[in-house]
Amino acid sequence: QVQLVESGGGLVQPGGSLRLSCAVSGSIFSINAVTWYRQAPGKQREFVAIITSGGSTNYLDSVRGRFTISRDNAKNTAYLQMNNLKPEDTAVYLCNALVRTGSYWGQGTQVTVSS
């Protein structure tokens, strides 16, 4: 089994910041990529950010410049630093890890941006 443990969500005011964590453990040899997605109530899941084993990154256009994805290889953990949060960022944020046996999902962590 491969397990993903996500943390760092919460309630924040517009303009505030949060850092999400995604810790990967289990029967893995290496992590090829970690991707953050988000899903708001009644909406489709959407891609937010990705980081590959080579360190390349990509972002959803609406978060580029505000969010930064990073990793700590020694801890098998990826992070999503979210700055200048907006109400439209409110969603459940989900982590996905791509390993040699397939891709695996975390449970999600709620981010709520509200005054």
Side-chain angles (χ1 to χ4, degrees), residues 36-38 46-50 57-69 80-86 88-91 93:
W36 286 98
Y37 295 83
R38 66 187 183 188
E46 67 178 347
F47 163 85
V48 176
I50 186 170
T57 61
N58 197 16
Y59 298 91
L60 175 67
D61 285 345
S62 63
V63 309
R64 187 175 290 111
R66 300 188 296 119
F67 292 10
T68 303
I69 189 169
L80 186 68
Q81 178 67 47
M82 305 186 296
N83 298 326
N84 191 23
L85 283 161
K86 303 176 180 180
E88 52 263 44
D89 296 319
T90 296
Y93 283 71

Side-chain angles (χ1 to χ4, degrees), residues 76-114:
N76 282 338
T77 300
Y79 305 94
L80 186 68
Q81 178 67 47
M82 305 186 296
N83 298 326
N84 191 23
L85 283 161
K86 303 176 180 180
E88 52 263 44
D89 296 319
T90 296
V92 174
Y93 283 71
L94 300 131
C95 182
N96 179 276
L98 177 63
V99 301
R100 65 181 299 169
T101 57
S103 65
Y104 299 85
W105 292 94
Q107 81 288 349
T109 185
Q110 177 71 46
V111 172
T112 302
V113 185
S114 176

